[in-house]
Amino acid sequence: MSRISVDEARALWLDGSDEELIERAQAVRARFHEPKHATYMVMRIVNYTNVCVAQCDYCAFYVLPNQEGGYVLSREEVFAKIDGLLEAGGDLVGFNGGFNPKLPLDYYCDLFAAVRERYGDRVEFYALTIAEFVYLADRAGLTHAEAAERLRDAGVHWITGGGSEILTEDFRKRHAKFKYTVREYLEAQRAIVEAGLRTTATMVIGFDETLEERLEHLQRTRDFQDACLRDGYDGLFSFLCWTYKPYGTEFAGVEISPQEYWRWIALSRIFLDNVKHVRTSVLTQNEEAFRALDYGADDFDLPIEDEVTQKAGATIELDLEALLAVPRRLGYTVEYRRAERPAALPA
Ligand code: SF4
């Protein structure tokens, strides 16, 4: 089957039936995965600070420096959260916080080295999102390559594609003008790949983005991955799409329907024919997320905490067996997946 173009993707989105989207998405999924089989992880987002100067208008989480309610978690508090994750049967930590001007790159290197030393291979962690990485490198006066090497030397294996939302310059200007430019984002991600670290792609839909902006995001993601594969890198491990939660944010708005989400997962699966995993978001779609497996997703997280999305209205179900019963009822076998260690790094 030939690769879908942007024009064909637009037409499929506007005129294609759910059945057509499912059939085409399943055909791409089957190139990488067994039918009716899905993988998952149990994870916890550790929001180490809520102090942030980026001021994204879709964020209900941040406070400005010196505003009441700002915090930075102590080392002990971080360890307690990781211990709680292990008790819940999980082994993946996602560190995610604000652009806190009081926390230099050294703070992160020390924290990550301490986590690696204490937990070894019992947990894996997504150290930063690329958005935070760009900010930290800039503040430290380092190139992206230099910053990636510093973090790698501190024991970091993964810097994930969080914070991308919609990768168009117009969207960045409308909603997050202090965060990064699309060019900076993709340059940083390429430096991360070249440093031998693992990375992922993400997308968030349901703001005021146009269809053209969504398609541009997919095109940029596919182009990035094509370039990585052409140059001999693994590139993007996965693509995760989730939905905007509007509660308590300056931008506000209403949530999109589960059906729109499922359809976008299908279109993403069809379009991103060079990315192995397409992940569905239990964090923002709860039980509705599992229906996206029929639309081409193959993998998901069961999160036990994420303050950023919970502040904006996400609810978290902690009965993991009850959650896993849902994909099983849909006819899927589900298998726990541990985060992969980058092949290029020394043991
Ligand atoms: S989304 Fe992230 S970068 Fe933007 S204001 Fe919130 S914490 Fe800061």
Side-chain angles (χ1 to χ4, degrees):
M1 195 190 302
S2 65
R3 174 172 264 193
I4 193 169
S5 69
V6 168
D7 286 344
E8 289 163 342
R10 184 187 303 108
L12 185 58
W13 177 255
L14 293 174
D15 300 326
S17 65
D18 279 26
E19 291 69 31
E20 197 176 350
L21 278 161
I22 288 171
E23 191 183 328
R24 292 191 61 169
Q26 286 293 340
V28 180
R29 187 189 195 276
R31 289 186 214 158
F32 301 104
H33 309 287
E34 288 289 311
K36 289 291 179 183
H37 181 73
T39 46
Y40 73 100
M41 309 176 90
V42 176
M43 65 105 69
R44 178 175 215 154
I45 307 278
V46 174
N47 304 111
Y48 54 88
T49 182
N50 64 344
V51 176
C52 187
V53 292
Q55 302 177 66
C56 310
D57 70 0
Y58 47 77
C59 179
F61 169 66
Y62 77 95
V63 302
L64 290 167
N66 303 321
Q67 252 186 347
E68 207 177 314
Y71 69 74
V72 177
L73 294 187
S74 68
R75 188 74 52 91
E76 289 65 37
E77 287 170 316
V78 169
F79 289 161
K81 283 183 181 286
I82 299 175
D83 291 344
L85 172 70
L86 286 166
E87 280 162 29
D91 65 354
L92 178 66
V93 179
F95 286 100
N96 181 219
F99 295 5
N100 185 335
K102 292 213 174 112
L103 301 181
L105 186 61
D106 283 344
Y107 162 89
Y108 293 88
C109 291
D110 291 349
L111 174 65
F112 298 142
V115 171
R116 188 62 76 197
E117 184 180 330
R118 182 178 165 108
Y119 294 96
D121 285 340
R122 286 191 297 145
V123 296
E124 186 50 274
F125 57 89
Y126 292 169
L128 297 162
T129 62
I130 289 169
E132 292 161 288
F133 173 82
V134 169
Y135 175 75
L136 285 176
D138 191 44
R139 294 268 305 167
L142 298 175
T143 65
H144 296 144
E146 290 165 343
E149 277 167 30
R150 288 275 305 277
L151 288 158
R152 188 190 63 201
D153 292 347
V156 168
H157 297 162
W158 290 81
I159 296 177
T160 53
S164 68
E165 293 102 23
I166 297 286
L167 280 176
T168 73
E169 299 294 6
D170 257 12
F171 182 91
R172 311 301 336 151
K173 282 187 200 128
R174 290 203 304 279
H175 297 292
K177 58 178 177 288
F178 302 122
K179 204 164 176 180
Y180 57 78
T181 64
V182 175
R183 192 171 152 206
E184 283 171 331
Y185 186 95
L186 294 171
E187 279 176 6
Q189 191 156 36
R190 177 67 189 212
I192 286 161
V193 167
E194 290 179 6
L197 300 172
R198 301 304 310 263
T199 191
T200 63
T202 64
M203 178 173 197
V204 188
I205 57 172
F207 307 94
D208 62 350
E209 76 281 1
T210 62
L211 175 57
E212 296 312 308
E213 286 184 310
R214 285 194 195 178
L215 292 168
E216 183 179 333
H217 185 110
L218 291 186
Q219 180 75 63
R220 286 181 182 280
T221 305
R222 190 166 78 179
D223 288 348
F224 179 87
Q225 181 68 344
D226 275 346
C228 287
L229 296 174
R230 182 195 63 217
D231 297 339
Y233 299 106
D234 290 340
L236 303 168
F237 178 81
S238 61
F239 171 82
L240 166 64
C241 179
W242 69 91
T243 53
Y244 167 55
K245 290 286 182 183
Y247 311 101
T249 68
E250 183 193 334
F251 180 61
V254 291
E255 292 192 62
I256 63 168
S257 69
Q259 192 199 14
E260 182 174 349
Y261 176 67
W262 302 331
R263 285 176 62 86
W264 193 257
I265 288 284
L267 197 75
S268 303
R269 177 64 285 178
I270 297 162
F271 198 90
L272 300 175
D273 57 2
N274 54 2
V275 178
K276 183 174 179 188
H277 294 284
V278 169
R279 316 188 72 221
T280 180
S281 169
V282 177
L283 180 62
T284 58
Q285 287 291 311
N286 300 94
E287 291 191 9
E288 301 286 11
F290 299 112
R291 181 86 169 97
L293 298 172
D294 289 340
Y295 287 73
D298 61 273
D299 188 80
F300 56 90
D301 288 321
L302 298 182
I304 65 168
E305 182 182 27
D306 175 26
E307 202 185 332
V308 176
T309 44
Q310 286 174 286
K311 275 262 170 68
T315 54
I316 285 182
E317 170 60 73
L318 290 175
D319 185 343
L320 304 186
E321 277 308 311
L323 277 173
L324 288 172
V326 181
R328 288 180 179 130
R329 276 200 297 276
L330 291 171
Y332 288 87
T333 55
V334 287
E335 181 187 350
Y336 197 84
R337 172 173 74 75
R338 281 180 63 83
E340 288 178 21
R341 186 185 178 85
L345 295 180

